[in-house]
Amino acid sequence: QVQLLESGGGSVQAGGSLRLSCAASGVTSTRYVMGWFRQAPGKEREFVAATSWSRATTYYAEFVEGRITMSTDYAKKTVYLQLNSLKYEDTAVYYCAAYQGAMIATTRSNYQYWGQGTQVTISS
């Protein structure tokens, strides 16, 4: 059973940076896709970024605009989400998600496993 634990959220001013981490236990091979989603108050949960442990390709949502970078460390079974030039509208709970497979999907329903989320709050 895969378990995901996010950390690194917090409160920062607009223009600041945060680095989110997701520790994945129970991952026994590189054939897992890892993703980040976010959910702002009153809004649907939306895709942010996704990649595989092989890191051949990383997909980003259009709103990322080069401000967000996803990376992985298979030895540590940890994925990261570097958030730069943060905006007020980036305020949300950020979730780590995963599913077993090789093809990267950006749709929430593809993801089998979810973390509990970490709050990111941006003050203007």
Side-chain angles (χ1 to χ4, degrees):
Q1 182 74 9
V2 173
Q3 292 185 319
L4 306 173
L5 181 62
E6 304 95 335
S7 62
S11 298
V12 297
Q13 290 188 330
S17 298
L18 282 172
R19 188 193 196 201
L20 308 183
S21 299
C22 171
S25 60
V27 171
T28 57
S29 77
T30 58
R31 288 183 61 83
Y32 280 85
V33 172
M34 304 299 297
W36 285 96
F37 289 74
R38 71 183 189 181
Q39 188 166 16
K43 294 189 176 181
E44 294 288 319
R45 192 171 300 186
E46 63 178 351
F47 170 77
V48 177
T51 190
S52 64
W53 287 107
S54 65
R55 292 173 291 170
T57 305
T58 302
Y59 290 93
Y60 294 98
E62 288 188 4
F63 65 78
V64 166
E65 300 174 327
R67 302 182 297 115
I68 298 176
T69 303
M70 183 175 183
S71 59
T72 64
D73 185 336
Y74 186 69
K76 295 182 179 179
K77 301 297 192 293
T78 300
V79 297
Y80 304 95
L81 193 69
Q82 179 68 42
L83 309 173
N84 298 323
S85 302
L86 284 162
K87 305 176 182 180
Y88 176 76
E89 50 265 39
D90 292 319
T91 296
V93 177
Y94 284 72
Y95 296 90
C96 180
Y99 63 90
Q100 193 166 12
M103 298 297 292
I104 297 173
T106 62
T107 306
R108 177 182 172 182
S109 59
N110 287 95
Y111 289 78
Q112 298 171 274
Y113 308 103
W114 292 84
Q116 292 189 333
T118 185
Q119 177 70 48
V120 171
T121 303
I122 312 303
S123 57
S124 56

